[in-house]
Amino acid sequence: MKIQTLTIQDENVKNGTTSLYEKLDFKFEYSNSRLVKVWDINNNYTENLTYNNNLLSEINISGYRYPELHLHIPLKIKRKLTYDNTQRLIKSENLDDPNSLSYTVFEYPSSDIIIAKDYKQNNYGQVTPSITSKIYISNQNVTKVEIYYEAIPAILAYVIKYEYDQKINPNFLIDRNRILALPNYAFNVYYVQDYSQLSKNNVTKKKCMV
């Protein structure tokens, strides 16, 4: 059964008192078992998905960058997805700002490793690599992600490790290409893209090591 609703809360506990920073209530809409829309009931975030030949081809995101702020800053993101001849995602391209090129390319050196390389256009108009993520998978779960800053040689910036329960992650039943293709954009309460969402089971612990 696919995910239907999701509530995410950002809370702070101090001296035994809990205060709520933000709450997002998401709904998921499907067409012929394919996810076509994700939205927050308060219209702070809407994600529309388009398919071509049964493959996810485009993601459009609108709403606000930081929903809990009184000064709502509009959010507009459009991603185009490209596949190889084996239907593996190889590129997720940013289309919302034609004056600032950025995209992510994906490599699959083995069955248990995915490499995501982010490219961005600099002030001189050159498109250069910026960040590389090396995603390690074991037993269908993402166990570790190494984040490298581009340099010669590349610099290992930090490592994220995950632990899991034995329950099925609802996102695992949707489309892994959606998670890979989403922008690496952080809201205050959650990440639009967290590679752990590729995993079969639910994350119980996330640890970042610098």
Side-chain angles (χ1 to χ4, degrees), residues 5-7 23-28 38-46:
T5 61
L6 175 67
T7 297
K23 179 183 177 183
L24 298 177
D25 291 294
F26 291 102
K27 288 187 175 294
F28 296 74
V38 180
W39 76 99
D40 168 55
I41 62 174
N42 295 311
N43 296 318
N44 288 319
Y45 179 89
T46 299

Side-chain angles (χ1 to χ4, degrees):
M1 184 174 180
K2 291 182 168 55
I3 187 170
Q4 302 294 325
T5 61
L6 175 67
T7 297
I8 301 178
Q9 293 186 174
D10 186 9
E11 298 177 338
N12 181 50
V13 180
K14 186 176 183 180
N15 298 326
T17 301
T18 301
S19 57
L20 177 65
Y21 284 160
E22 182 182 355
K23 179 183 177 183
L24 298 177
D25 291 294
F26 291 102
K27 288 187 175 294
F28 296 74
E29 180 180 326
Y30 300 86
S31 175
N32 297 323
S33 79
R34 294 184 306 193
L35 181 67
V36 294
K37 185 178 180 180
V38 180
W39 76 99
D40 168 55
I41 62 174
N42 295 311
N43 296 318
N44 288 319
Y45 179 89
T46 299
E47 180 182 324
N48 288 290
L49 299 98
T50 302
Y51 296 81
N52 184 24
N53 294 326
N54 294 318
L55 289 174
L56 180 61
S57 58
E58 194 171 283
I59 302 174
N60 287 277
I61 300 172
S62 60
Y64 301 103
R65 291 182 179 272
Y66 299 100
E68 83 290 354
L69 296 181
H70 294 295
L71 296 176
H72 279 180
I73 303 172
L75 173 67
K76 183 180 179 182
I77 297 174
K78 185 175 183 180
R79 308 287 281 192
K80 176 185 176 183
L81 285 63
T82 304
Y83 300 85
D84 64 13
N85 55 12
T86 63
Q87 298 187 344
R88 292 186 306 187
L89 180 67
I90 56 173
K91 188 175 184 181
S92 174
E93 186 176 1
N94 169 32
L95 299 180
D96 56 283
D97 187 355
N99 298 316
S100 180
L101 297 176
S102 65
Y103 54 87
T104 304
V105 296
F106 301 93
E107 299 173 359
Y108 304 86
S110 69
S111 60
D112 55 2
I113 292 177
I114 301 173
I115 297 176
K117 295 183 178 180
D118 293 337
Y119 290 79
K120 294 184 182 298
Q121 186 173 4
N122 61 27
N123 294 332
Y124 303 100
Q126 300 170 319
V127 178
T128 58
S130 58
I131 296 175
T132 295
S133 302
K134 192 171 184 179
I135 307 159
Y136 294 84
I137 301 171
S138 177
N139 297 321
Q140 300 186 73
N141 287 328
V142 174
T143 56
K144 180 175 67 172
V145 179
E146 295 175 347
I147 309 297
Y148 294 86
Y149 292 148
E150 287 301 326
I152 301 177
I155 300 171
L156 178 60
Y158 57 95
V159 177
I160 304 172
K161 290 188 175 181
Y162 301 95
E163 296 178 9
Y164 296 87
D165 60 18
Q166 297 301 310
K167 299 177 181 178
I168 300 298
N169 167 22
N171 272 317
F172 181 75
L173 302 174
I174 299 176
D175 191 332
R176 66 181 289 161
N177 291 324
R178 168 181 171 258
I179 301 303
L180 287 171
L182 283 171
N184 189 8
Y185 178 84
F187 288 88
N188 281 7
V189 61
Y190 77 111
Y191 284 90
V192 173
Q193 179 200 69
D194 187 320
Y195 290 126
S196 68
Q197 295 180 72
L198 299 174
S199 302
K200 179 179 180 180
N201 302 122
N202 296 301
V203 174
T204 58
K205 187 176 181 179
K206 176 181 178 180
K207 185 177 182 181
C208 183
M209 299 171 291
V210 178

